[in-house]
Amino acid sequence: MKKKILLPLLLLALSPVMRESGAGCALAQGNIHKRSTTYEWPKEKDVVENLKAWQDLKFGVLIHWGLYAVPGIVESWSIVDEDWITRDTTMTYQQYKDWYWGFAEQFNPTKFNPEQWAQAMDDAGMKYMIFTTKHHDGFCMFDSRETDFTIAKHAFKDNPKRDVLKYVLEAFRKHQFKIGTYFSKPDWHSQYYWWDVYPTKGRNVNYPVDKFPWRWEQFKKFTHNQMQEILTRYGNVDILWLDGGWVCKERKQDIDMPRIAQMARSHQPGLIIVDRTIHGPYENYQTPERTIPETQLDYPWESCIPLSDDWGYVKRPRWKSPEKVVNTLIEIVAKGGNLVLGVGPTPEGLIQPEAVERLKKIGDWMKRNGKALYNTTTTPHYNEGDVWFTASKDGKTHYAVYMLQEGKSLPAQISWTTNLPKKEVRLVSNGKKLKTKVKEGKVTVTLPAGLPQQSVAMEIK
Ligand code: GLC
């Protein structure tokens, strides 16, 4: 009875709408990780090779699926006591946490259809995926032997697909996706991280690690073993994407990354490790979150940006338009990065129709224009107004992508002053040669009438 009354209040507190209006606006700050400012290339040759191959893919999906999908609220964060989090409910903090953990008994995604997910992402033109094996709340989306707190041992336990991770990865492999596993270093459900003997204040380990070294050792073992499960029981993994950058040596929460990396690569040679925001040998690429770096960067990076305002499923998502996503991707690729787009499946286990529809439109654009992005490299003059440039790896071809701003129409003519054609300019979509004039260091191309009102890619020879 009590739960029924409180639920709507709570959803309101954490809904994107409230966040926009200011009530929870710090949410967008409180949980955004800062990008490192320096980069170190890995020393292992096979890791560098894999990184380069990954850079060619340009576009992937970051799937957040966990307990938080059940009420449709922000992923994990509502159980943390930090200033930017508002829990508009009369439940005590402890009651709230118990209520949240209780979603394990309701999370029964009977329509779980990873093939539908993989098809939707393939249709969007994505080439790799990253799946939340465990978020900060500690709920495992794989059948971990290290804890009972997994989807395989609760409401979904009798379903043949209870070891969710296995079926998700299999579905995407069938579509030739590169495979990434997201894993949260902090675990707010583990007694080795948040120990009930102490109150939990904030996101960090809640007991003094130097006073309880045994307990912290247990946490290290637990974390190490879980990562090992993910990297040994589920086939090939290309990327291990570690979230929760506050779990690090500097903050006296050292989980021994050298040992983890050694274990990880003994099972998955050449594995790309993304110990995000921890500059050093285990941050193989940088992960600007919800933003695009100001300028081009000459080392591997990936912007992570959700398709709606939220990483996971929420009841009333505020979607980005397909055009917005396409334009974001164009800018990112011209600056040398990849885009991983966040999508959250429903508590029943499907990608909702509004997302599918948007993904399809993005994919339609990519089918026509993707040659200007996939497998390309950067060029020093990468931007002039609304025109963004990339280059083929052999350096023989440049691409110009005119970025149509939302609500605007394509101009009849486009001009730019760098990366000028020696021979011709053609539309990428149909190979049609464009009327082109080069004069005094400036090229002007005339776009044919009747082009779809979208950003448009051109090949410069
Ligand atoms: C932020 C959030 C985390 C989310 C991640 C995705 O770090 O804190 O909840 O999983 O972004 O990039």
Side-chain angles (χ1 to χ4, degrees):
M1 183 59 204
K2 198 169 175 194
K3 273 182 194 166
K4 276 197 184 129
I5 300 167
L6 292 173
L7 185 63
L9 277 173
L10 195 119
L11 293 179
L12 195 67
L14 292 163
S15 75
V17 181
M18 282 295 279
R19 269 186 254 164
E20 283 288 316
S21 67
C25 65
L27 191 64
Q29 294 153 18
N31 62 350
I32 288 189
H33 278 67
K34 289 249 163 350
R35 182 169 68 83
S36 301
T37 47
T38 43
Y39 180 76
E40 187 176 320
W41 280 96
K43 299 207 169 46
E44 301 82 353
K45 245 176 106 185
D46 50 357
V47 179
V48 174
E49 262 166 41
N50 285 343
L51 266 175
K52 296 218 158 125
W54 166 83
Q55 283 185 297
D56 288 345
L57 308 178
K58 309 299 182 195
F59 192 28
V61 61
L62 173 54
I63 300 172
H64 276 70
W65 204 39
L67 280 190
Y68 40 84
V70 178
I73 58 175
V74 64
E75 71 290 348
S76 298
W77 284 100
S78 69
I79 55 172
V80 174
D81 184 18
E82 285 185 13
D83 289 349
W84 57 278
I85 295 158
T86 34
R87 272 184 304 275
D88 193 1
T89 158
T90 54
M91 271 190 258
T92 65
Y93 181 37
Q94 189 54 51
Q95 280 169 339
Y96 182 86
K97 282 201 269 187
D98 292 341
W99 175 77
Y100 184 91
W101 303 134
F103 289 123
E105 300 310 335
Q106 292 175 42
F107 195 11
N108 188 15
T110 48
K111 295 190 183 144
F112 175 46
N113 184 356
E115 178 50 40
Q116 185 243 2
W117 306 7
Q119 188 63 55
M121 305 312 156
D122 196 346
D123 289 345
M126 292 164 167
K127 304 291 177 194
Y128 69 101
M129 61 86 74
I130 302 173
F131 177 68
T132 49
T133 61
K134 176 177 95 166
H135 205 262
H136 311 330
D137 61 17
F139 191 68
C140 297
M141 297 303 285
F142 65 103
D143 192 0
S144 177
R145 291 166 193 154
E146 297 289 318
T147 176
D148 285 348
F149 201 50
T150 132
I151 184 147
K153 292 186 188 130
H154 288 273
F156 199 50
K157 67 177 187 309
D158 296 324
N159 193 294
K161 291 188 181 163
R162 63 185 164 273
D163 197 356
V164 163
L165 178 62
K166 175 174 189 283
Y167 298 94
V168 173
L169 301 193
E170 273 175 11
F172 278 91
R173 283 194 194 106
K174 276 191 210 137
H175 289 255
Q176 280 80 47
F177 273 51
K178 281 216 189 274
I179 300 295
T181 48
Y182 168 114
F183 182 88
S184 164
K185 295 185 292 179
D187 184 320
W188 296 329
H189 188 267
S190 167
Q191 284 297 307
Y192 302 136
Y193 195 79
W194 274 8
W195 187 18
D196 281 346
V197 166
Y198 285 92
T200 57
K201 180 77 196 141
R203 65 187 70 188
N204 293 301
V205 59
N206 77 332
Y207 59 89
V209 168
D210 43 357
K211 245 175 117 178
F212 298 99
W214 176 84
R215 189 160 291 271
W216 185 254
E217 273 310 307
Q218 297 309 302
F219 183 66
K220 275 162 72 177
K221 256 189 218 156
F222 169 70
T223 306
H224 182 280
N225 291 351
Q226 282 202 324
M227 289 194 210
Q228 182 154 277
E229 291 186 293
I230 291 163
L231 297 171
T232 54
R233 288 176 31 207
Y234 298 93
N236 171 70
V237 175
D238 302 289
I239 306 164
L240 177 63
W241 207 94
L242 302 178
D243 201 11
W246 61 91
V247 174
C248 63
K249 216 171 172 170
E250 288 66 36
R251 298 207 185 191
K252 300 205 167 79
Q253 302 180 54
D254 185 11
I255 54 166
D256 199 351
M257 273 309 292
R259 180 163 174 262
I260 287 175
Q262 206 251 330
M263 173 277 290
R265 290 194 177 128
S266 76
H267 302 303
Q268 302 281 348
L271 178 73
I272 297 171
I273 300 179
V274 185
D275 190 10
R276 63 185 305 221
T277 73
I278 316 290
H279 161 68
Y282 311 114
E283 190 186 31
N284 296 161
Y285 64 70
Q286 289 184 348
T287 56
E289 185 173 321
R290 293 180 187 259
T291 56
I292 306 174
E294 288 284 296
T295 56
Q296 196 178 67
L297 301 171
D298 63 358
Y299 49 74
W301 59 274
E302 167 196 81
S303 280
C304 47
I305 301 176
L307 177 57
S308 75
D309 281 352
D310 290 84
W311 292 110
Y313 164 83
V314 293
K315 294 237 160 85
R316 281 178 296 276
R318 283 164 36 112
W319 300 107
K320 295 182 178 73
S321 67
E323 293 76 22
K324 167 93 185 156
V325 175
V326 163
N327 287 353
T328 302
L329 182 60
I330 293 167
E331 180 174 345
I332 287 175
V333 173
K335 287 180 174 175
N338 282 14
L339 168 64
V340 72
L341 189 71
V343 180
T346 66
E348 291 79 33
L350 294 168
I351 306 295
Q352 56 207 126
E354 296 84 349
V356 171
E357 185 195 315
R358 283 166 176 80
L359 291 164
K360 174 85 177 51
K361 285 193 179 146
I362 296 166
D364 289 345
W365 189 89
M366 288 299 272
K367 271 195 203 104
R368 285 196 298 276
N369 299 278
K371 195 179 167 200
L373 302 182
Y374 294 125
N375 296 306
T376 58
T377 185
T378 53
T379 174
H381 299 285
Y382 64 91
N383 176 223
E384 211 180 308
D386 285 325
V387 187
W388 297 84
F389 301 97
T390 62
S392 64
K393 288 211 192 126
D394 60 11
K396 287 190 185 142
T397 310
H398 277 81
Y399 297 97
V401 189
Y402 179 80
M403 185 193 282
L404 181 63
Q405 304 294 344
E406 277 183 274
K408 295 254 172 80
S409 309
L410 282 176
Q413 292 188 323
I414 298 171
S415 31
W416 61 85
T417 63
T418 57
N419 304 315
L420 298 177
K422 293 194 183 71
K423 210 172 118 211
E424 62 190 27
V425 179
R426 288 176 186 269
L427 280 180
V428 167
S429 57
N430 59 11
K432 233 179 123 183
K433 202 164 153 179
L434 298 177
K435 195 174 151 223
T436 304
K437 201 172 92 192
V438 185
K439 204 179 151 195
E440 288 159 12
K442 179 170 157 182
V443 59
T444 303
V445 297
T446 304
L447 293 179
L451 281 182
Q453 290 301 318
Q454 295 172 336
S455 296
V456 51
M458 292 157 277
E459 192 175 293
I460 309 169
K461 290 237 179 186

